[in-house]
Amino acid sequence: MTVREIVKRFTFIEIFQGMALTLRKMFSHAVTIQYPKERRHIAPGFRGQHALAKSQGQAKCVGCGLCATICPSQCISITRAKGQVEKYEVDILRCIYCGFCVEACPYGAIVLTENYEYSVYRKEDLLLKKEMLLASWDKYMPGTKGDEYFRKFWRPMSEDFGTPSGQAVSRGKKP
Ligand code: SF4
Ligand code: SF4
């Protein structure tokens, strides 16, 4: 046993250090919050529950399947019929919230909202269907929030590919 260990053992210094720490914490601000009465501030760009975007009341998704193809968890399932998106489902139990689906979508038709409160009693309820995803857009991306979401967190956007001013461009032959 070293001298240091002998001193520690006979002076009870660690007990006093622990009690001092407890005493200090008793008078400092609590870090726990009283959920659900109190909520944490959600960081900008937080990736929560999915939603299908709408434009003028209509779903923007055309069912091209790019999101499902790129999804590393293979948790998006899409079926098209008669030129319409018949089924769009996301199994959020398998989702890893990578955001690839949002990046891959050429229409800005899928988003990850700030909602993190979707615990349920039945796991089947975590298979989000098209109607639920569209309703989430209305609920969590009201007004201009959806546009701001894309503008702030997802680049490049189509406007990033504009021709620089002064660059020579071919306008084709005049008829
Ligand atoms: S966030 Fe990632 S894992 Fe989740 S659905 Fe989109 S692509 Fe798939
Ligand atoms: S969400 Fe986007 S990428 Fe996915 S099917 Fe719809 S339009 Fe295509």
Side-chain angles (χ1 to χ4, degrees):
M1 189 181 285
T2 63
V3 178
R4 190 186 166 87
E5 284 168 343
I6 293 170
V7 171
K8 265 189 186 175
R9 181 167 291 186
F10 290 102
T11 58
F12 305 111
I13 195 158
E14 286 173 331
I15 293 177
F16 290 116
Q17 282 175 337
M19 286 170 72
L21 180 67
T22 307
L23 207 62
R24 270 205 313 277
K25 290 292 168 192
M26 278 172 71
F27 299 102
S28 61
H29 182 68
V31 291
T32 47
I33 58 166
Q34 301 301 315
Y35 181 85
K37 283 187 193 154
E38 293 176 64
R39 310 264 162 135
R40 282 200 190 284
H41 169 71
I42 298 294
F46 175 81
R47 297 174 187 176
Q49 187 198 328
H50 307 63
L52 278 177
K54 288 183 186 175
S55 175
Q56 297 174 346
Q58 298 295 313
K60 288 167 86 178
C61 177
V62 297
C64 66
L66 279 177
C67 53
T69 305
I70 204 160
C71 175
S73 308
Q74 299 284 288
C75 59
I76 302 178
S77 167
I78 303 165
T79 316
R80 274 175 60 92
K82 298 176 190 161
Q84 300 288 321
V85 182
E86 190 182 54
K87 181 184 97 173
Y88 192 111
E89 287 177 357
V90 184
D91 183 354
I92 55 172
L93 275 180
R94 290 168 58 187
C95 176
I96 56 169
Y97 298 89
C98 61
F100 283 3
C101 50
V102 184
E103 283 194 56
C105 179
Y107 299 98
I110 183 161
V111 297
L112 295 172
T113 69
E114 291 171 356
N115 179 37
Y116 60 91
E117 295 172 296
Y118 46 84
S119 52
V120 287
Y121 289 104
R122 302 177 330 140
K123 85 175 180 182
E124 304 86 83
D125 294 338
L126 290 172
L127 186 67
L128 302 185
K129 300 192 189 310
K130 189 175 115 185
E131 294 69 28
M132 296 158 82
L133 291 161
L134 288 168
S136 291
W137 173 263
D138 295 331
K139 193 167 176 188
Y140 303 114
M141 292 287 180
T144 57
K145 198 169 173 183
D147 287 339
E148 283 167 24
Y149 169 86
F150 284 109
R151 209 165 291 286
K152 273 192 188 160
F153 306 116
W154 301 97
R155 303 212 83 89
M157 300 176 72
S158 56
E159 65 209 39
D160 295 326
F161 296 109
T163 308
S165 60
Q167 180 175 313
V169 287
S170 167
R171 304 210 180 274
K173 285 182 185 172
K174 285 185 181 172

